[in-house]
């Protein structure tokens, strides 16, 4: 069994740009807020290591997940893992799945769960951090179930950035990061995928009482002020 009582307080926080960077952390007792363990035997993390505190960060394309995750990571010392960034890194590294991932992203479809979960698993298991923001995952019920099966944990909390489609389209088309999927045709497909496949995941976590819905309209700082109390509450529970 994982030890349930010890977690970590980061000294250095991570961000999207330092995805693969391992920060140094010091220990702190964190008793009451350990991530729920549903299948300890199957998680790749050694039994003697500490339970990761998982937060899933969900929302449609362009809802501001990545932007807010950087601020949460900097302020509250979480490691930020963007599923989309991990997949793009995999494409760039010419891995055997690279071509398949690129085609899937161009089509606005969802990469097979085992591929994405393995990338997330590798990051979690190679990190000394115990507090993770998993951004843009799970996108489907299949993603969610694969994560639970492979990692053997559930998220403690789930954030949902709720943003009108019109605003998401405006943001994505103005993102200017040279992404192959930030065009109007792929965006329409991504919005359809979000409605058909991702909303059921959000509803699932709402029923479980784990969902924090944040109205994602407003300035970046205004939205972060709505996010802050969620994590401030977590911090209090770690004292
Ligand atoms: P996601 O990760 O959900 O796809 P991003 O965080 O990448 O979204 O944001 C999409 C685009 O919108 C980026 O160009 C970002 O700078 C911009 N953006 C993020 N939050 C806001 C906001 N609150 N208001 C206006 N633009 C925003
Ligand atoms: O989250 P982001 O917008 O960076 O995701 C870009 C694309 O990566 C998605 O539209 C999808 O094609 C792919 N993706 C996926 N499964 C995930 C996350 C992202 O297939 N869990
Ligand atoms: Mg993003």
């Amino acid at each position: 069994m994982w030890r349930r009582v010890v977690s970590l307080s980061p000294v250095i926080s991570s961000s999207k740009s330092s995805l693969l960077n391992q920060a140094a952390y010091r220990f702190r007792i964190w008793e009451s807020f350990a991530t729920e363990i549903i299948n300890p035997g199957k998680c790749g993390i050694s039994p003697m290591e500490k339970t990761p505190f998982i937060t899933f960060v969900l929302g449609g394309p362009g809802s501001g997940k990545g932007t807010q995750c950087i601020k949460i990571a900097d302020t509250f010392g979480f490691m930020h893992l963007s599923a989309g960034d991990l997949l793009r890194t995999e494409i760039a590294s010419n891995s055997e799945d690279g071509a398949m991932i690129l085609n899937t992203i161009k089509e606005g479809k969802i990469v097979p769960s085992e591929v994405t979960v393995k990338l997330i698993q590798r990051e979690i298991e190679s990190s000394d951090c115990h507090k993770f923001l998993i951004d843009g995952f799970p996108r489907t019920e299949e993603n969610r179930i694969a994560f639970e099966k492979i990692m053997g944990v559930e998220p403690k909390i789930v954030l949902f950035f709720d943003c009108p489609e019109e605003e998401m389209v405006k943001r994505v088309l103005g993102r200017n990061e040279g992404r192959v999927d930030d065009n109007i045709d792929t965006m329409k497909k991504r919005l359809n995928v979000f409605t058909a496949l991702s909303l059921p995941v959000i509803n699932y976590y709402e029923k479980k009482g784990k969902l924090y819905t944040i109205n994602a309209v407003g300035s970046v700082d205004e939205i972060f002020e709505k996010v802050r109390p969620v994590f401030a509450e977590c911090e209090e529970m770690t004292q």
Side-chain angles (χ1 to χ4, degrees), residues 3-5 30-37 51-53 156:
R3 269 187 279 159
R4 293 182 66 92
V5 291
W30 187 355
E31 188 158 14
S32 54
F33 226 48
T35 296
E36 204 172 308
I37 302 171
T51 309
F53 179 94
K156 191 66 185 177

Side-chain angles (χ1 to χ4, degrees), residues 76-134:
F76 294 103
F78 278 70
M79 184 172 188
H80 174 202
L81 298 176
S82 156
D85 284 351
L86 290 173
L87 292 167
R88 284 182 285 273
T89 302
E90 200 63 5
I91 295 168
S93 71
N94 290 320
S95 81
E96 58 175 314
D97 289 327
M100 176 276 291
I101 296 171
L102 176 60
N103 287 331
T104 307
I105 288 179
K106 274 186 187 162
E107 285 301 310
K109 293 182 178 162
I110 302 300
V111 172
S113 296
E114 59 274 22
V115 173
T116 314
V117 173
K118 273 185 188 149
L119 295 175
I120 295 169
Q121 181 184 31
R122 191 170 70 192
E123 294 304 311
I124 290 177
E125 291 182 5
S126 65
S127 174
D128 288 332
C129 187
H130 276 206
K131 294 155 67 172
F132 297 94
L133 298 169
I134 306 188

Side-chain angles (χ1 to χ4, degrees), residues 16 65-66 82 88 135 175 179:
K16 198 190 242 177
K65 300 180 296 294
S82 156
R88 284 182 285 273
D135 161 7
R175 181 152 45 190
R179 283 176 48 167

Side-chain angles (χ1 to χ4, degrees), residues 9-65:
S9 173
V11 173
I12 304 167
S13 59
S14 61
S15 71
K16 198 190 242 177
S17 60
S18 61
L19 204 60
L20 303 175
N21 197 16
Q22 300 306 314
Y25 294 88
R26 62 187 152 82
F27 291 89
R28 185 192 276 182
I29 300 296
W30 187 355
E31 188 158 14
S32 54
F33 226 48
T35 296
E36 204 172 308
I37 302 171
I38 57 171
N39 189 0
K42 285 202 175 158
C43 181
I45 295 174
S46 133
M48 290 312 290
E49 292 182 21
K50 294 152 283 294
T51 309
F53 179 94
I54 305 279
T55 300
F56 286 153
V57 181
L58 306 179
S63 59
K65 300 180 296 294

Side-chain angles (χ1 to χ4, degrees), residues 13 69-78 224 228 235:
S13 59
C69 279
I70 290 169
K71 292 178 79 71
I72 299 164
D74 284 347
T75 308
F76 294 103
F78 278 70
F224 185 63
R228 189 193 292 277
E235 285 244 305

